[in-house]
Amino acid sequence: MKKTASTPIPRRLVLGGAAVAAGLLLSACGGGASSSGNSGSGSNVELNFVFWGDANRAKMTEAALRIFEKKNPGITVKTEYQDSAPYADKLATRFAGGNPPDVLAMANRSLLEYAQRGTLADLKSFPELNLDKVPETTLSRGEVDGKLYGLATGVTTIGVVINKTITDQAGVTIPDDKTWSWEDYAKFATEVTQKTGGKVYGAGYDVATETGPIILARQRGEDFYTKDNKLGVSEKTIEDWFQYSVDLRKAGGYPPAGFFEQIGGSPAQSYLAKGTVASQIIPINNFRGYNEAVEGEVVLLRVPGETTGERRGYSADPTMLWSIAAKSKHPKEAAKLVDFLTNDAEGAAEVLTQRGVPINPEVADAITPKLNADDKTFVDLMAAIQEDDLPPAYVYPKGASVVADTLKQLTTEVEFGRVSPADAAKTFMEKSNAAINK
């Protein structure tokens, strides 16, 4: 079927879509629910739809699904949602047990692995799913060997949120995010800690999440993951990523080892909301949730290093992807649901940009009147980021989940000084390449 040209997502799409609410980390309490919409008389198909997120995301999703059920008599949707970590484990268990959901949220790092196992359906094969309005650049993030196994739920990227109330009270100036470097961010964070007497740490970002080093690699002219599904980041970049947090901790700008507890990932549960850190790195579609959860004024900035490196580090990334199980008992109805989630403006008005900027420009335009100021802040930044040419980004390779787990494990070792950044980087490269090339 005919599709739009291969161009970046237009500013009209970004400005038309809009913004936020919870959770790179999106998540919170686990749980499950069933949509309660009217399925119409003669209901005979029940779809199982699973995703990760918090209660707020689930509530908005359920509201949209009630609209889907009214428009599709005979189809009801049973949903399940959980925090991202247990969700991944449960999803793997269900597929391994031969009981996959019909429609599911798929992580970027898991798509290729599931696709190559033959567990996902080719979304291009369903006439019920209209892809005409989706930009090719967006489709490419879910394509494997010419088949479409995942369709972006929306697009976003990461950014820095700063509690301006804290920095104002401390007398610390927030740097210009259009020109700041990683060194500038370190100086800012250290100054916050010093001027608050150690009551607030200047930075509290997650070292263990791969989006940070992915952007750092691009800024250095490297592709963290390459077009041919390999690991392209250098050992030196990984070492420098670890070393940056070590140096920032020694300088006082980053909390001491053991400071962070195992808590949910929602904005309300964040250390920014607790007031113990002044800045975090977040998926920017979550800005609204952070601004609502934090007592004080929160500002949203670009990540450091975008104008001081070899090239831009940003890309417009799927927040997650919709997939249909190859063994779905109701594939046509499942395709109708994915089509609804992608192309229905009425349903999108219930979810807004909870899962990123809508990928259908017309849907994005349609929900614009419902956006609040925080939504527009996120959308405007997403638009500004895409005004310049961005480097390409590719489907994550098979084994990307192991890469993510390895980064997380080594971050803990580096944090407590059990492994040096150099040795951690060496181990990271060895284990990651082994997993990808297996």
Side-chain angles (χ1 to χ4, degrees):
M1 54 183 71
K2 184 179 179 182
K3 303 179 184 68
T4 55
S6 179
T7 57
I9 296 174
R11 183 178 178 86
R12 181 175 74 90
L13 166 57
V14 181
L15 290 177
V20 192
L24 215 215
L25 324 171
L26 322 115
S27 25
C29 53
S34 290
S35 58
S36 57
N38 176 21
S39 64
S41 59
S43 175
N44 56 12
V45 170
E46 180 180 87
L47 294 176
N48 182 213
F49 175 38
V50 303
F51 56 90
W52 73 83
D54 63 1
N56 182 59
R57 167 170 292 167
K59 180 180 179 180
M60 299 173 80
T61 302
E62 290 294 333
L65 292 176
R66 286 194 288 271
I67 295 172
F68 170 77
E69 290 177 333
K70 290 177 181 178
K71 292 185 175 184
N72 294 271
I75 304 176
T76 57
V77 185
K78 179 181 179 181
T79 65
E80 300 172 38
Y81 72 98
Q82 290 182 291
D83 194 12
S84 57
Y87 173 84
D89 293 338
K90 184 174 182 179
L91 192 66
T93 299
R94 289 194 57 177
F95 271 92
N99 181 37
D102 297 291
V103 178
L104 58 139
M106 177 64 64
N108 290 292
R109 66 174 70 109
S110 303
L111 180 72
L112 186 65
E113 188 169 356
Y114 275 84
Q116 291 184 339
R117 288 178 181 172
T119 60
L120 303 178
D122 178 9
L123 300 181
K124 292 180 181 179
S125 68
F126 297 108
E128 295 84 2
L129 175 55
N130 187 348
L131 302 172
D132 290 351
K133 302 295 182 181
V134 183
E136 286 286 353
T137 48
T138 303
L139 289 177
S140 68
R141 298 299 296 272
E143 290 180 339
V144 178
D145 298 329
K147 295 183 178 181
L148 185 67
Y149 293 108
L151 184 60
T153 66
V155 292
T156 189
T157 187
I158 62 173
V160 179
V161 282
I162 295 177
N163 187 332
K164 189 173 183 296
T165 300
I166 290 176
T167 58
D168 284 350
Q169 292 174 347
V172 179
T173 301
I174 297 174
D176 181 357
D177 71 322
K178 293 182 180 178
T179 59
W180 69 341
S181 64
W182 286 99
E183 290 75 18
D184 293 329
Y185 183 43
K187 291 178 182 178
F188 159 80
T190 303
E191 186 180 2
V192 170
T193 304
Q194 292 173 344
K195 290 191 173 181
T196 61
K199 293 180 180 179
V200 180
Y201 291 96
Y205 67 92
D206 187 2
V207 181
T209 300
E210 71 264 44
T211 45
I214 283 175
I215 282 187
L216 181 62
R218 286 202 200 103
Q219 290 175 345
R220 293 184 168 194
E222 304 168 358
D223 290 322
F224 192 93
Y225 293 129
T226 65
K227 188 176 183 179
D228 59 350
N229 305 128
K230 301 295 183 181
L231 188 69
V233 65
S234 68
E235 185 174 320
K236 181 64 167 61
T237 292
I238 296 299
E239 178 184 348
D240 289 347
W241 176 252
F242 284 132
Q243 189 66 53
Y244 183 85
S245 64
V246 170
D247 292 343
L248 188 55
R249 178 176 282 116
K250 287 180 179 179
Y254 194 81
F259 176 86
F260 296 107
E261 303 171 356
Q262 287 296 107
I263 61 172
S266 74
Q269 296 170 309
S270 69
Y271 287 89
L272 195 77
K274 289 183 176 182
T276 52
V277 302
S279 70
Q280 286 187 224
I281 297 176
I282 67 164
I284 65 174
N285 59 297
N286 296 333
F287 174 64
R288 177 179 175 181
Y290 278 89
N291 208 18
E292 291 176 347
V294 173
E295 291 186 8
E297 179 186 358
V298 178
V299 295
L300 178 63
L301 309 177
R302 296 167 177 80
V303 294
E306 281 294 277
T307 58
T308 58
E310 293 184 28
R311 63 175 182 173
R312 299 286 296 280
Y314 271 130
S315 64
D317 299 318
T319 53
M320 60 185 80
L321 303 137
W322 296 133
S323 294
I324 295 175
K327 291 185 178 181
S328 168
K329 296 178 181 178
H330 311 289
K332 292 183 178 180
E333 290 80 3
K336 286 183 179 181
L337 177 55
V338 175
D339 181 79
F340 171 84
L341 295 169
T342 304
N343 299 314
D344 191 282
E346 188 179 357
E350 298 293 340
V351 182
L352 297 176
T353 53
Q354 166 62 224
R355 293 182 173 91
V357 178
I359 62 175
N360 181 329
E362 294 179 359
V363 171
D365 285 342
I367 66 173
T368 298
K370 287 184 170 286
L371 305 182
N372 69 7
D374 289 341
D375 294 338
K376 287 183 172 65
T377 296
F378 149 58
V379 169
D380 287 348
L381 179 57
M382 195 73 203
I385 286 170
Q386 295 180 89
E387 287 179 350
D388 296 333
D389 290 335
L390 301 179
Y394 308 107
V395 172
Y396 287 18
K398 187 177 181 180
S401 294
V402 175
V403 176
D405 290 342
T406 300
L407 180 66
K408 184 175 296 185
Q409 293 162 4
L410 290 170
T411 294
T412 301
E413 297 302 300
V414 170
E415 176 183 357
F416 287 94
R418 294 191 287 262
V419 176
S420 69
D423 288 342
K426 182 178 180 180
T427 300
F428 173 85
M429 298 299 292
E430 291 174 350
K431 289 188 175 181
S432 297
N433 278 315
I436 290 172
N437 298 325
K438 184 176 179 180

